[in-house]
Amino acid sequence: VDPARIILAGPSGGGGVAAGAALMNRDRGGPTLLYQMLIYPMIDDRHHTPSGHFDLPAYCWTREVSLRAWSMYVEEDGASCYAAAIRAEDVTG
């Protein structure tokens, strides 16, 4: 594997995993990533943004569905920045 050609990418939950993996790679001194492609990533378990409160039709990804999805992925008291990248205080590098 050529470490100069590593990219991380993913949609939705996979985008959140890619974002967390990029942060962990940086924090653990891994190789510099060539690129990161996050497609509508799930990166915020808190749902504090305006879009986290949209009143959407039941067939859409609603707040309730998102909260349920996050509850299967993180502890009740919240997530680390590796699980929910929005919690990272610094995203440089």
Side-chain angles (χ1 to χ4, degrees), residues 42-46 70-71 73-88:
M42 286 181 63
I43 58 171
D44 190 355
D45 64 310
R46 297 172 293 187
W70 276 104
S71 76
Y73 187 66
V74 300
E75 299 296 327
E76 285 185 35
D77 59 344
S80 75
C81 67
Y82 304 124
I86 198 75
R87 291 180 176 266

Side-chain angles (χ1 to χ4, degrees), residues 3-8 16-36 81-82 90-93:
R5 297 178 64 188
I6 297 173
I7 68 165
L8 293 176
V17 170
L23 289 168
M24 186 176 283
N25 176 70
R26 177 203 62 190
D27 294 347
R28 293 186 178 180
T32 301
L33 299 175
L34 177 64
Y35 189 72
Q36 203 181 162
C81 67
Y82 304 124
D90 178 13
V91 295
T92 58

Side-chain angles (χ1 to χ4, degrees), residues 40-55:
Y40 52 88
M42 286 181 63
I43 58 171
D44 190 355
D45 64 310
R46 297 172 293 187
H47 300 81
H48 290 250
T49 62
S51 65
H53 295 275
F54 283 167
D55 185 22

